[in-house]
Amino acid sequence: MEGGVARVVTDLVRAQVAEGFRTVVACPPGGVLAADAAEAGARVHPWPAVRAPGPRLAGEVLTAARLIRRTEPHVVHAHSAKAGLAARLAVRGRVPTVFQPHAWSFEAVEGRAAALALKWERYGTRWSTRTLCVSETERRVGEQAGIAARWSVIRNGVDLQHFAGDDGTARPAAARAVLPMLKRIPPEVPLVVCVGRLCRQKGQDILLTAWPQVTAAVPDARLVLVGDGPDREELIRLTPPGVLFAGASRDPRQWYRAADVVVLPSRWEGMALAPLEAMACGRPVVLSDVSGAGESLPPGHEAFGLVPADDPPALAAALTVLLTNRALRDRLGRTARDHTRATCDVRQTTAAVSGLYQELLNSPQPMTRKRTER
């Protein structure tokens, strides 16, 4: 209902409405997605569902099935694990169905829960006309896990006009001046910004563990965590000196522009939007090496911007290199901005998704298939 998936859905709605599609969004009421999708032109229907599978699942599937019958869609596009589960159970191949995991459910859990999630993904693919991944690495993870899907890969994109920065060389002092939390921080103070939901996936706890090593080398450095989520109180408890919590932001553009470096230490992803947005603003990024991260970066940036996942010392070392080398930051920022302009336009992403819909509707082949479990 919030974060990257909500932005992806809203971008698709905006483009599809402009193309003349009748676009319906079913989601829990009251969240960012419901409001933004309606503003973008979708017909929003409340779907009372919770985030995780549980005893309410049967009722959620039944409600989804009724909604789908009532709205009579030509294509159902289910985003992320929970909606992917409910929608495929509700439709079961009767309508062309695109499933877009936005990172695999079995990567988010451990032990028995991971085994059950993987078993479902292997089984549920029979009801996916197409499984749409946002990076080649996300597809490979699914394929290596034994998911026998019909695959498509369409990389995430961002609104380049909205996130257009300067030429990548201007200092972030102007952006800091309009953010009340930063007005008392001198422009020369090195600033790292992390934008993301405060949860285990995004790895802010890894970043906080790494931060004392950063400040040992760069004593005046500051870190700002932009976002909210279930781990906020625990993260505050872990917070070392030099860290600020900014809360959620509907538009993080000024935070990217205020930063010297943007970091996202995720434990898993499909392809995160925050690094693309930051690079579009001309800022260098440091990412954990999870699905989509390497594909996000311009060629040659891996040596500076890609670190092993869940590795605080490596994360601290990468941040320290960038914070102590302004010329390197400026060069990487310029290259990042040019790279996103050439490869990460959301208009290309939405056009490719529309093309996928047309391909499915024009296909003479059966929409889904039964198969023998491996």
Side-chain angles (χ1 to χ4, degrees), residues 9-25 33-45:
V9 174
T10 301
D11 286 338
L12 288 174
V13 167
R14 189 173 294 110
Q16 292 166 2
V17 169
E19 288 186 69
F21 291 9
R22 176 175 61 92
T23 307
V24 176
V25 171
L33 175 57
D36 287 356
E39 184 179 349
R43 302 178 187 180
V44 177
H45 291 261

Side-chain angles (χ1 to χ4, degrees), residues 264-287:
L264 189 64
S266 302
R267 287 184 168 91
W268 68 88
E269 293 284 356
M271 174 181 274
L273 290 181
L276 304 181
E277 295 168 350
M279 289 191 293
C281 291
R283 297 297 177 256
V285 298
V286 174
L287 312 175

